[in-house]
Amino acid sequence: MNLAAAPDLVTATSLAAAQNESLAEISNVLIYSAMAVYTLAFFAYIAEWIFGSRSKVARTAAALTPRGETAKKAPAVTVKKEGGTAVLERPKVVVRAAAGARDVPDGPGAHGGDAQGDLYGRIAVSFTVLAFLVEFGGVLTRALSVQRAPWGNMYEFNITFTTTAVGVYVLLLALKKNVRWLGLFLTTTVLLDLGLAVTVLYTESDQLVPALDSYWLYIHVSTAILCGAVFYVGAVGTILYLFKDSYESKLARGGKPGGFATSVLERLPAAASLDKFSYRVNAAVFPLWTFTIIAGAIWAGDAWGRYWGWDPKETWSFITWVAYACYLHARATAGWKGRKAAYLALAAFGCWLFNYYGVNIFVSGKHSYADVGMGVLRSVGF
């Protein structure tokens, strides 16, 4: 070795380390900045929901079941004379399409076609897109700081996962899909997830352990992140479907929804539309989740010399696959459509959440890296 060149080598190494630390700091600043912009988007979505109009189902229900002073003048039950017999008639609120019909009473989302609500909605979407770009910059600079894919620990997975989830939402909007109603719930949970990432899960940027240093990291983990983001979007739609279905069922029975339904559920699309959206999203990504498990098995064969060993992460990935397969099968079976299938979808997403958070934090196995689990346990007082 040329001893004269040694000082230059040390200097170059030091400069590279300093540059990497600088990029890591920039990444942290960008992630915090994205959280600030997401907060602005959150308040803009709140304004959209407050000032926006109601969906078509809600407007029909309000017209047929007047409230306040109007209710005294126009009762919901009218009397119809048929010969000498008085027949009581209650106006029926139609919330579902007739058998064989394609038209479903629906609202376009929170703004409902209202000009003021639509303005706040456009502002909210603009903030969401800006936050997505800033967060993407944070993920990119994190990757540059370690010169690898930014998926080596739970913190990096979290920031990439939230970026991808918002990216799916923005892509659906760009494709002219009616999903603006998703924005409020998306930004709320993204803020919570990023808050967890920067406070509890944060890990200094570092190089990968040898088992992860493979091109399969780019294939397996990237598809897992994309699947999780899409499953999350489907889960939000499923939860909202359950609430909206209860609301519409109450209307169909002639009941009067409470204040929560008035302020939130009336501004959602029809339950049938939410159900269809969730099913299509989950069905579209399920083949990719199947590929993710297969890719993970191939990677395990390269890294550990066996394709499947019932490691906790492998086991719960398979359980998640089975749960979503059961949901899709149930959704295609006449007796299990609607709420029953929705409960299966939420159970499947619960399996995915446990596969990521529960297994990584509380269960040790070959997929446990960077002492993330112990770090989290110490941070919460164990």
Side-chain angles (χ1 to χ4, degrees):
M1 178 179 178
N2 187 356
L3 297 179
D8 294 335
L9 179 61
V10 172
T11 301
T13 304
S14 300
L15 288 175
Q19 182 181 13
N20 291 344
E21 291 180 5
S22 177
L23 288 171
E25 287 298 321
I26 293 174
S27 173
N28 294 340
V29 171
L30 288 174
I31 294 299
Y32 279 104
S33 299
M35 293 177 66
V37 182
Y38 278 130
T39 303
L40 295 176
F42 169 79
F43 285 115
Y45 282 119
I46 289 289
E48 178 189 19
W49 284 72
I50 291 175
F51 297 106
S53 63
R54 295 171 294 178
S55 67
K56 191 181 297 182
V57 169
R59 291 196 297 269
T60 304
L64 294 178
T65 57
R67 301 170 183 172
E69 293 297 324
T70 310
K72 300 176 182 178
K73 301 177 183 178
V77 178
T78 59
V79 178
K80 179 181 179 182
K81 294 289 186 178
E82 291 186 358
T85 305
V87 180
L88 297 180
E89 283 191 340
R90 178 183 296 277
K92 184 179 180 181
V93 181
V94 179
V95 295
R96 294 175 177 85
R102 296 177 60 88
D103 179 56
V104 176
D106 199 4
H111 67 86
D114 177 78
Q116 188 176 19
D118 184 59
L119 173 62
Y120 284 112
R122 291 178 182 274
I123 293 173
V125 169
S126 299
F127 278 133
T128 303
V129 173
L130 176 60
F132 165 73
L133 294 175
V134 174
E135 188 181 8
F136 178 79
V139 173
L140 180 61
T141 50
R142 176 79 175 197
L144 292 175
S145 70
V146 288
Q147 299 180 0
R148 60 167 173 79
W151 310 319
N153 50 63
M154 286 186 69
Y155 168 75
E156 294 175 353
F157 191 100
N158 262 43
I159 61 175
T160 308
F161 169 77
T162 53
T163 304
T164 306
V166 177
V168 171
Y169 170 67
V170 171
L171 176 62
L172 290 174
L173 288 175
L175 294 175
K176 307 297 183 183
K177 302 298 182 181
N178 168 30
V179 294
R180 195 191 294 181
W181 48 268
L182 190 64
L184 175 61
F185 309 96
L186 180 69
T187 53
T188 302
T189 49
V190 163
L191 281 170
L192 292 174
D193 202 26
L194 287 177
L196 177 67
V198 300
T199 56
V200 177
L201 302 178
Y202 182 77
T203 305
E204 295 290 342
S205 59
D206 201 355
Q207 295 303 314
L208 293 172
V209 297
L212 290 180
D213 192 9
S214 168
Y215 64 89
W216 281 105
L217 175 71
Y218 297 89
I219 301 172
H220 173 66
V221 181
S222 63
T223 55
I225 291 174
L226 178 59
C227 289
V230 178
F231 282 147
Y232 160 73
V233 171
V236 172
T238 301
I239 293 172
L240 295 179
Y241 157 73
L242 290 172
F243 279 108
K244 189 62 183 283
D245 183 67
S246 296
Y247 160 76
E248 291 183 356
S249 297
K250 191 170 186 178
L251 285 179
R253 294 192 303 267
K256 182 179 179 181
F260 175 76
T262 302
S263 60
V264 177
L265 298 181
E266 289 186 342
R267 292 179 167 85
L268 284 173
S273 296
L274 293 171
D275 182 40
K276 186 186 299 182
F277 169 79
S278 302
Y279 169 68
R280 287 179 174 178
V281 165
N282 289 323
V285 79
F286 180 73
L288 188 60
W289 180 248
T290 305
F291 170 78
T292 301
I293 295 176
I294 295 173
I298 297 173
W299 187 9
D302 287 346
W304 301 318
R306 63 28 166 207
Y307 293 101
W308 196 268
W310 296 105
D311 181 77
K313 178 71 70 172
E314 296 170 348
T315 301
W316 277 95
S317 295
F318 179 68
I319 291 174
T320 302
W321 184 90
V322 172
Y324 273 106
C326 290
Y327 159 70
L328 294 175
H329 176 72
R331 185 63 174 71
T333 304
W336 277 83
K337 287 184 178 179
R339 298 183 69 86
K340 291 181 180 180
Y343 292 137
L344 281 177
L346 291 183
F349 185 68
C351 292
W352 187 91
L353 285 178
F354 183 78
N355 184 34
Y356 175 55
Y357 288 102
V359 172
N360 282 5
I361 295 174
F362 300 109
V363 182
S364 61
K366 287 184 174 293
H367 287 77
S368 302
Y369 300 110
D371 294 327
V372 172
M374 291 305 299
V376 173
L377 292 177
R378 286 194 295 267
S379 69
V380 296
F382 282 88

